[in-house]
């Protein structure tokens, strides 16, 4: 179903199945249509509100490396739950009521809506069945909307209602510390209280201003913390684009590349093409046996010189646990493998290309290492211009080489873990 109005019709049809496309087709116009029909209905519309907020509390975004980035429609959820509560949801199904309130509470907490959050939390606890939880079980923290019935969340909801978080944030700001010296928790607290935003990945610190740049937790943008509050990034950015062609238009090669790894395969990298800077980061997941990208972000300052400055900021901001590695391979750690959508993973190993995912192997042979590097850079640009995107980076030590000219590997070969 690709028609938003037909999707709304199905949502209000008690005989129809819940439309699976309501999240995919969500727009402000679709939300207005839903709310107009809810307000015109004689009752609170419990079934419709439940199905609607369950679908749109998050909407699917773009996909890279199998990961889905989601944007949360908190304002839409708040309006729908507000309508349902004000219309008097007495005598309704307790399970549906609890679910509606859970979505509303999470949105209200994320948006720092103190009164709504505490009022709805009291209603929700009245609909719950069973014992209180002994400890918090949510994936997110309380301020990120991870609220349940554990003692910690009960305590934090009381702090939210009586302004305790505001007082704590004000004390942190009054201390007057430089932005780069703040703890991550303190930055998130102040950002939540003052701007209802949630900094997550720390990107870098600008050397000229001392301001710290972050990626928002829910993929809604880039934030800058100046030691008192957060504000939107003062330059154009693109998070998780469908393809990267526009960012390499006119480029003949990657002009700067900084790559650093920590632990097994977790990494951070910055690449510059003219005035465009691509930041990528990934984390190793032991349960899935490899590294997966956390994000990819293009920053677009006005000049190539400014872009080069961002690369220097990124390099100077690398955590101590991250070791810079040569851009293509390191004899002790392995080949830097890059994987583009729909293509095999490739790296450089001596005068060869290394290929493969689980066990990289020397493949094509060139006259020397510079020739192998130049050929792979050209291949990367060809892939990007064809609409392919970088989906992963990781280090892999090729198997013991029987090929002349490849760097020596450790005894037994395999990965560098």
């Amino acid at each position: 179903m690709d028609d938003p109005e037909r999707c709304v019709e199905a949502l209000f049809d008690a005989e129809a199945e819940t439309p699976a496309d309501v999240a995919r087709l969500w727009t402000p116009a679709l939300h207005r249509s839903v709310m107009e029909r809810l307000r015109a209905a004689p009752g609170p519309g419990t079934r419709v509100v439940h199905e609607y907020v369950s679908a749109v509390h998050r909407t699917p975004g773009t996909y890279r490396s199998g990961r889905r980035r989601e944007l949360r429609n908190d304002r839409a959820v708040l309006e729908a739950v507000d309508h349902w509560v004000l219309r008097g949801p007495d005598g309704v199904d307790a399970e549906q009521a609890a679910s509606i309130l859970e979505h509303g509470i999470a949105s209200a907490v994320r948006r720092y809506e103190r009164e709504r959050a505490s009022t709805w939390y009291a209603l929700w606890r009245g609909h719950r069945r069973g014992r209180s939880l002994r400890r918090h079980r949510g994936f997110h923290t309380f301020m990120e909307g991870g609220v349940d019935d554990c003692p910690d969340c009960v305590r934090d909801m009381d702090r939210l209602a009586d302004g305790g978080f505001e007082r704590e944030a004000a004390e942190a700001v009054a201390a007057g510390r430089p932005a780069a010296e703040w703890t991550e928790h303190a930055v998130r607290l102040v950002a939540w209280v003052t701007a209802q935003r949630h900094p997550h990945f720390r990107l870098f610190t600008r050397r000229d201003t001392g301001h710290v740049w972050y990626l928002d937790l829910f993929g809604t943008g880039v934030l800058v913390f100046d030691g008192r509050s957060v504000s939107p990034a003062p330059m154009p950015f693109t998070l998780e684009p469908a393809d990267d062609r526009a960012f390499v238009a006119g480029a003949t090669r990657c002009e700067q590349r900084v790559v650093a790894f920590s632990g097994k395969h977790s990494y951070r990298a910055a690449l510059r093409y003219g005035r465009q800077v691509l930041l990528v980061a990934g984390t190793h997941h032991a349960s899935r046996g490899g590294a997966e990208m956390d994000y990819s972000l293009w920053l677009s300052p006005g000049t190539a010189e400014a872009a080069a400055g961002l690369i220097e900021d990124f390099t100077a901001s690398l955590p101590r646990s991250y070791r810079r590695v040569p851009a293509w391979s390191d004899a002790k750690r392995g080949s830097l493998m890059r994987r583009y959508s729909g293509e095999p993973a490739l790296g450089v190993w001596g005068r060869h290309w290394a290929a493969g995912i689980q066990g990289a192997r020397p493949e094509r042979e060139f006259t020397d290492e510079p020739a192998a590097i130049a050929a792979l850079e050209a291949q990367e640009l060809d892939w990007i211009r064809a609409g392919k995107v970088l989906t992963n980076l990781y280090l892999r030590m090729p198997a013991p080489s029987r090929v002349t000219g490849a760097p020596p590997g450790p005894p037994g070969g395999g990965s560098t873990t």
Side-chain angles (χ1 to χ4, degrees):
M1 183 184 297
D2 291 320
D3 183 347
E5 283 305 314
R6 287 181 59 198
C7 188
V8 173
E9 290 292 336
L11 182 66
F12 280 84
D13 184 350
E15 303 299 322
E17 292 185 8
T18 303
D21 292 330
V22 66
R24 181 175 65 84
L25 298 176
W26 189 92
T27 63
L30 184 149
H31 176 67
R32 287 193 298 271
S33 180
V34 169
M35 293 309 302
E36 287 170 3
R37 295 189 61 157
L38 279 172
R39 293 186 181 108
T46 300
R47 181 192 63 82
V48 174
V49 172
H50 175 253
E51 293 179 359
Y52 180 61
V53 299
S54 296
V56 306
H57 77 286
R58 58 180 64 186
T59 57
T62 57
Y63 291 77
R64 294 180 82 120
S65 188
R67 296 176 61 84
R68 181 172 69 182
R69 188 166 297 283
E70 296 169 331
L71 307 181
R72 294 174 181 267
N73 290 319
D74 286 333
R75 293 188 186 279
V77 170
L78 289 173
E79 188 175 6
V81 176
D82 230 358
H83 158 84
W84 180 80
V85 171
L86 292 174
R87 294 290 287 267
D90 294 333
V92 300
D93 179 86
E95 187 174 339
Q96 286 189 344
S99 179
I100 291 170
L101 289 165
E102 283 173 4
H103 293 309
I105 293 162
S107 293
V109 169
R110 279 193 293 270
R111 300 297 305 174
Y112 204 75
E113 294 273 357
R114 288 172 47 191
E115 185 174 349
R116 277 178 170 142
S118 57
T119 300
W120 293 350
Y121 189 62
L123 288 174
W124 175 72
R125 297 190 77 204
H127 284 289
R128 273 188 55 82
R129 297 292 184 266
R131 299 177 179 177
S132 298
L133 298 170
R134 292 185 177 181
R135 61 185 179 85
H136 183 72
R137 65 180 179 185
F139 177 76
H140 293 297
T141 68
F142 177 83
M143 69 179 67
E144 296 163 359
V147 181
D148 56 32
D149 201 29
C150 73
D152 286 347
C153 286
V154 173
R155 178 204 64 204
D156 286 342
M157 189 61 71
D158 289 340
R159 290 180 64 201
L160 180 67
D162 70 10
F165 287 111
E166 287 183 23
R167 292 190 291 273
E168 184 180 343
E171 290 171 3
V173 171
R177 297 188 303 276
E181 295 180 8
W182 282 58
T183 66
E184 298 301 292
H185 172 78
V187 174
R188 290 168 185 165
L189 170 69
V190 170
W192 176 48
V193 169
T194 63
Q196 295 74 59
R197 301 297 294 270
H198 299 273
H200 184 42
F201 292 109
R202 180 181 281 218
L203 300 174
F204 51 77
T205 300
R206 294 303 303 266
R207 294 161 301 147
D208 56 348
T209 63
H211 295 174
V212 185
W213 290 44
Y214 287 88
L215 187 64
D216 183 87
L217 175 68
F218 301 114
T220 57
V222 179
L223 307 174
V224 178
F225 179 63
D226 64 3
R228 298 187 61 84
S229 61
V230 296
S231 58
M235 73 174 59
F237 64 86
T238 306
L239 180 64
E240 308 286 357
D243 69 64
D244 301 325
R245 282 175 281 194
F247 302 101
V248 299
T252 58
R253 61 188 178 89
C254 178
E255 294 168 270
Q256 285 178 278
R257 186 191 303 266
V258 177
V259 184
F261 279 80
S262 176
K264 192 172 184 180
H265 289 308
S266 297
Y267 63 86
R268 298 186 185 185
L271 302 83
R272 181 173 73 85
Y273 297 87
R275 69 176 189 88
Q276 307 289 348
V277 173
L278 174 64
L279 302 182
V280 294
T283 303
H284 182 263
H285 299 274
S287 61
R288 296 194 286 275
E292 296 178 6
M293 284 180 64
D294 294 320
Y295 62 82
S296 66
L297 169 71
W298 285 97
L299 296 173
S300 304
T303 65
E305 291 74 17
L310 289 179
I311 297 290
E312 293 173 5
D313 291 334
F314 169 87
T315 305
S317 303
L318 286 169
R320 291 182 180 178
S321 62
Y322 279 77
R323 297 181 180 180
R324 286 190 62 182
V325 297
W328 298 100
S329 63
D330 180 277
K332 294 182 179 179
R333 300 183 182 92
S335 177
L336 174 61
M337 308 296 291
R338 279 93 67 212
R339 187 167 192 181
Y340 286 78
S341 50
E343 298 295 339
L346 287 177
V348 170
W349 192 240
R351 64 171 182 250
H352 298 81
W353 282 2
I357 299 176
Q358 298 302 325
R361 61 190 182 280
E363 195 174 67
R364 290 182 57 183
E365 183 175 1
F366 298 85
T367 56
D368 52 26
E369 185 175 43
I373 290 173
L376 188 50
E377 284 190 339
Q379 178 65 81
E380 283 187 294
L381 275 174
D382 286 345
W383 282 339
I384 294 172
R385 291 186 179 118
K388 300 180 184 297
V389 294
L390 181 66
T391 61
N392 213 353
L393 278 167
Y394 56 91
L395 281 172
R396 186 71 70 198
M397 182 65 75
S401 175
R402 295 188 295 271
V403 184
T404 304
S415 82
T416 58
T417 59

